[in-house]
Every structure is written in C-alpha cells, then in structure tokens.
Amino acid sequence: MTATRATTDKNPSIVLRPSKKETHMPQAATASNDEKLVLDTIATYLKALHKADKSLFHEAFAETANVSHCSIADEKIAVSTLPMFLELVDDLHKKNGHVEEFHTNPIVAITGPVASVHVPFVLKLGSDEFTGTDVFALARIDGTWKITSKLYSM
C-alpha cells in the first residue's frame, strides 16, 4: 500500500508532502503516476463543483457513485446518488452564486486498482465559508481513476 503526499499540475492548491519512500523504483514510478492520476480526478471534481459542470462530474465520478453527508451536529448520514448530488450542486449555485471548494493536505492511499483520498476542505458558498472533511474512494476502471463514493462532514 502506498500512502504519500504530493502536488498536482491540475490543482496547485492541493499540497501534499512525502510520507514513505518506495524501495523498488518501478513500483514507485507506477505509484507516483497513479497518485498523480488520482489527484487529477479529485481536481476534476473540484473544477466541476466550482463550475456546476455536469460533464466534468461525469468525468470524475463512476456512473454508480454515491455521495454521503455525515452531519457533525447530529451524527446522521444522508446518502445521495450522483444525479441527486448534481441537483444539490445546481441548487447551491442558484442560491449562493459562487460555490468553490479548496483542499489542503490530502492523504492518498493506493492499493492496486483501489485508492482513497482523505482531505480537509474549505467550502465557499457565496460569502459564507464552511470547513469539513472529504473522504473519497476511487477505483481504476478501464484504466481511468473514477470516484466511486464521496463521504463528507461539515
């Protein structure tokens, strides 16, 4: 299993730092490439959220993905399908105008075709800001990393 921190070209606001070096160079090169591709997928999600761009959401998420919100206040969970989440995003844009999420210090773990990204975030809705945590599960499907689920709390 590889758990590391790095940066991506697609989203310079994602800043990570190395945690454990690989000892076998070909695996390290593959892990590093997979990590970049995983973080690029997360960057696509952030761009999709900011622009309310359904085509980018479909690029980042698996067709059967779900999004779950765990309320900090009452520790209840609400699960949405991807189409339901896209409706929520549209509603947020209509209500707030500006919607943007920023990630800091993502932790990426990759094992074969499965990855996870655990990351604190700041969500801007209009002039309001909220903090929380995103946990993404990703799978490499036909050679492309896709988000299969997103769990967040705020």
Side-chain angles (χ1 to χ4, degrees):
M1 180 155 110
T2 303
T4 59
R5 297 175 185 258
T7 60
T8 71
D9 295 335
K10 263 192 169 179
N11 189 347
S13 68
I14 296 179
V15 179
L16 307 161
R17 64 170 201 263
S19 62
K20 184 178 179 181
K21 298 276 184 193
E22 294 287 333
T23 56
H24 188 277
M25 288 305 284
Q27 286 181 345
T30 300
S32 176
N33 186 53
D34 277 339
E35 182 176 316
K36 179 188 179 313
L37 295 172
V38 164
L39 290 173
D40 285 349
T41 301
I42 301 304
T44 299
Y45 156 73
L46 292 173
K47 187 175 179 180
L49 181 65
H50 179 62
K51 294 183 173 198
D53 185 328
K54 287 183 176 52
S55 66
L56 287 174
F57 275 113
H58 289 290
E59 183 181 325
F61 282 84
E63 188 176 315
T64 58
N66 64 57
V67 177
S68 302
H69 171 249
C70 186
S71 170
I72 292 174
D74 60 9
E75 295 185 346
K76 304 275 185 204
I77 194 159
V79 180
S80 302
T81 62
L82 184 57
M84 292 166 59
F85 181 67
L86 296 181
E87 285 180 36
L88 171 65
V89 170
D90 283 343
D91 290 345
L92 290 173
H93 276 269
K94 287 175 188 168
K95 181 180 175 184
N96 300 289
H98 181 81
V99 176
E100 194 165 13
E101 184 173 323
F102 300 93
H103 288 172
T104 56
N105 300 321
I107 299 170
V108 176
I110 300 171
T111 304
V114 177
S116 66
V117 178
H118 184 275
V119 60
F121 68 80
V122 173
L123 177 63
K124 292 187 177 187
L125 300 175
S127 60
D128 295 328
E129 284 190 8
F130 303 89
T131 59
T133 302
D134 275 335
V135 180
F136 296 93
L138 298 92
R140 191 172 50 232
I141 302 168
D142 296 326
T144 303
W145 287 100
K146 296 280 188 174
I147 299 167
T148 59
S149 70
K150 168 184 157 80
L151 169 65
Y152 70 99
S153 66
M154 56 183 221

